[in-house]
Amino acid sequence: MKYSFSRILHNLMHNWLLYLFILLSFMLGAGLFIICMNFRMTGEQLLKEAKRQSAEGVIQVHWAFNSEFDPMTNPMEFMQERTDYPISYDTYLNLIANPQYTDELDFLFALKINDPIFILDSGDGADLDIYFMNETLFDYLYGFLRSEGMAYLGDTAYADLLHIGEEIKKGNDILFANSEIYIDGDSLIVDDRAYPYEIVMPMEPDISLPTIVERWDDDIEEREEHLDEAIRRNTMNIAVILPIENVFIPSSFAVLHNNLLLRYRNAEWQVDVVAQVLRELNHIDKKSHFTVENRYLTLKSQMEAYGYDMDRWLLIAVSILFLSGVGCIGSMYLLLDKRRHFMAVSIAYGSTLKRIMIETVAELLIVLSAGGILGILILPLLQKITVYQGELRVNMGGIGIVVMTALAFSVLSVSLGMHAVRIKDVAAVLKEE
């Protein structure tokens, strides 16, 4: 055994340049082949997982407004052009009135108004987010059903509104941007309407709701600093949540946002139901293009976009592996032809052809295994070459095919090489001599 290992190592070192070429070619072919097989084999698995997650989770609806007005350079023109919500409350009511949708989907809807309040005497104030939220979204965020007619406050909003109420009692001048809102005793007063209230915190701190009031400052650094500050704050801390049925029309200077999420009622993914909702939204507002943030659709789109390219890379990988196999056969013929007399002497002095073949197969298999391992290690680099940057997982099926290919190349190359150089014939002559 020790002698066999020593001979294998000696042969590897003695023919390192030829073996380096085989190693590099097999590394490139194996790496590309595994990437392409991962794309095919794990792609379906990822799609199934994404489909399940989409069915069990919520789907965010996004909109892109197509206008000739740039909100960063012409904010007033943009605001005049855009006078309605991206998805209005009336549109939401029309959607939930359609049994085709509500039999399959839950609609999680909120409309947000940012409402700055200023105490003119001191310059102090508050920056509130008022949400009109339906019960489904409230339950999703807080994990319990909302009491009828109840208002809910974040802790920062509660403290600010309590302070505003105290300033009103003192007779100080208060400027409300959109609606008169403050706390008076056990009631939240909104435009002379009183609500009982509770203080709540959401289950998830990073909820998918509009969080930032857009500003168009001349100073870019100041704007970025403002956005960073808004992101750092927990939105629900400064939130006032009112029943969706109590939506009111704010002042014309209000900054309005809406939020629409969809959730499957029966946890079965059906792309045409959501697609139909999007088509209806796009038909209602022809200036906006509504899309959904859906991991399944994103992955499916990526796989369709790169499918042809990955098929070409798979063909290239198989071609490289084929050339590597041809190289193995040619190399074994040359090497075994050089070693034929030495091997014949070994057989004449008691060694066996089987042992020599096993040693030579192990020798070539070591080279191909090293190439395959290196091919796996440089997968991120090879993935950049294929351009596809989507999610991939290492699939044992592709690795198994590469391992079997390496074993087949080794056995086939050595067998053909041994047959070509006819070691037994040389050994027979030496024995007679």
Side-chain angles (χ1 to χ4, degrees):
M1 185 69 180
K2 183 178 179 181
Y3 176 72
S4 295
F5 179 78
S6 156
R7 185 156 60 183
I8 291 172
L9 184 62
H10 173 268
N11 289 336
L12 287 172
M13 298 298 294
H14 190 69
N15 303 285
W16 69 270
L17 189 59
L18 182 60
Y19 279 143
L20 180 62
F21 171 77
I22 296 175
L23 184 149
L24 293 177
S25 62
F26 193 78
M27 174 190 73
L28 180 60
L32 289 174
F33 181 81
I34 290 173
I35 286 177
C36 295
M37 292 303 292
N38 288 345
F39 179 82
R40 290 299 174 197
M41 292 181 172
T42 65
E44 293 301 321
Q45 179 185 356
L46 291 171
L47 285 176
K48 287 181 181 178
E49 290 181 7
K51 185 180 288 188
R52 177 181 54 79
Q53 291 170 2
S54 294
E56 296 175 354
V58 296
I59 304 169
Q60 176 87 43
V61 176
H62 297 280
W63 67 284
F65 179 56
N66 301 317
S67 172
E68 60 183 358
F69 301 117
D70 184 353
M72 301 303 294
T73 57
N74 301 294
M76 295 309 297
E77 292 183 74
F78 174 81
M79 292 176 72
Q80 290 170 4
E81 172 73 8
R82 186 82 205 184
T83 57
D84 58 333
Y85 312 131
I87 301 175
S88 69
Y89 177 57
D90 289 339
T91 300
Y92 156 71
L93 292 179
N94 290 334
L95 288 173
I96 63 173
N98 189 334
Q100 175 188 356
Y101 303 143
T102 51
D103 287 347
E104 303 292 341
L105 298 172
D106 280 332
F107 286 83
L108 292 74
F109 179 82
L111 186 143
K112 186 186 93 169
I113 303 171
N114 182 256
D115 199 356
I117 303 174
F118 303 96
I119 303 175
L120 299 181
D121 295 339
S122 64
D124 197 5
D127 190 14
L128 301 174
D129 290 333
I130 302 177
Y131 287 95
F132 297 94
M133 187 180 298
N134 68 2
E135 281 76 5
T136 309
L137 179 55
F138 186 88
D139 179 42
Y140 169 69
L141 294 176
Y142 294 95
F144 65 93
L145 295 177
R146 179 174 59 192
S147 300
E148 184 176 355
M150 181 74 71
Y152 295 88
L153 310 176
D155 52 5
T156 302
Y158 168 74
D160 288 340
L161 291 174
L162 191 62
H163 176 58
I164 298 296
E166 292 172 352
E167 293 297 318
I168 289 176
K169 289 180 180 179
K170 294 177 184 178
N172 292 333
D173 293 329
I174 310 295
L175 175 63
F176 297 93
N178 301 306
S179 61
E180 189 174 283
I181 178 169
Y182 58 93
I183 287 179
D184 184 9
D186 294 331
S187 299
L188 172 69
I189 309 299
V190 182
D191 285 347
D192 295 326
R193 178 167 180 173
Y195 296 87
Y197 65 85
E198 290 182 10
I199 301 172
V200 292
M201 288 296 293
M203 295 187 298
E204 297 293 337
D206 297 323
I207 60 174
S208 181
L209 288 174
T211 58
I212 297 173
V213 179
E214 295 193 37
R215 292 178 55 182
W216 297 284
D217 300 320
D218 294 332
D219 189 338
I220 295 178
E221 292 184 0
E222 182 182 347
R223 180 169 65 245
E224 290 179 347
E225 182 180 346
H226 168 77
L227 297 182
D228 289 342
E229 179 184 353
I231 292 172
R232 283 195 301 271
R233 294 183 307 180
N234 186 327
T235 309
M236 290 291 100
N237 286 351
I238 59 173
V240 177
I241 301 173
L242 299 171
I244 190 72
E245 298 81 9
N246 297 101
V247 170
F248 60 81
I249 304 300
S251 73
S252 59
F253 294 101
V255 180
L256 305 174
H257 295 281
N258 85 304
N259 197 72
L260 178 65
L261 299 98
L262 306 173
R263 180 172 59 186
Y264 292 100
R265 295 176 66 88
N266 55 6
E268 292 181 4
W269 192 90
Q270 299 178 41
V271 66
D272 21 340
V273 180
V274 175
Q276 179 61 34
V277 173
L278 295 181
R279 282 195 293 269
E280 183 163 335
L281 292 175
N282 289 326
H283 176 73
I284 293 171
D285 190 345
K286 293 181 171 52
K287 291 184 178 180
S288 296
H289 177 64
F290 289 92
T291 60
V292 294
E293 184 180 297
N294 189 302
R295 184 166 175 264
Y296 172 80
L297 294 179
T298 302
L299 281 173
K300 191 170 185 294
S301 176
Q302 286 179 344
M303 293 187 68
E304 289 175 350
Y306 289 96
Y308 177 70
D309 288 337
M310 295 302 283
D311 285 342
R312 289 194 303 171
W313 281 110
L314 180 60
L315 181 61
I316 291 172
V318 171
S319 300
I320 294 174
L321 288 175
F322 177 76
L323 292 175
S324 177
V326 172
C328 289
I329 294 173
S331 300
M332 279 299 101
Y333 176 79
L334 293 174
L335 292 178
L336 293 176
D337 189 55
K338 287 171 56 178
R339 302 175 191 171
R340 65 186 298 188
H341 190 270
F342 172 77
M343 290 187 293
V345 170
S346 299
I347 292 174
Y349 278 89
S351 185
T352 63
L353 182 61
K354 180 179 177 181
R355 179 177 179 178
I356 293 175
M357 286 187 66
I358 291 175
E359 290 176 358
T360 312
V361 167
E363 179 183 332
L364 183 55
L365 193 57
I366 289 172
V367 175
L368 295 178
S369 299
I373 292 171
L374 288 176
I376 294 174
L377 293 178
I378 64 169
L379 283 181
L381 179 61
L382 293 176
Q383 188 174 346
K384 291 182 179 179
I385 295 175
T386 64
V387 181
Y388 177 72
Q389 298 303 306
E391 183 179 359
L392 288 177
R393 294 178 184 173
V394 175
N395 184 275
M396 295 309 297
I399 295 177
I401 293 174
V402 169
V403 170
M404 295 304 297
T405 300
L407 183 60
F409 282 173
S410 301
V411 174
L412 182 63
S413 300
V414 173
S415 299
L416 293 177
M418 288 291 188
H419 177 74
V421 297
R422 300 182 182 279
I423 300 297
K424 285 186 175 180
D425 295 343
V426 178
V429 171
L430 288 175
K431 282 184 177 180
E432 290 177 1
E433 293 176 355

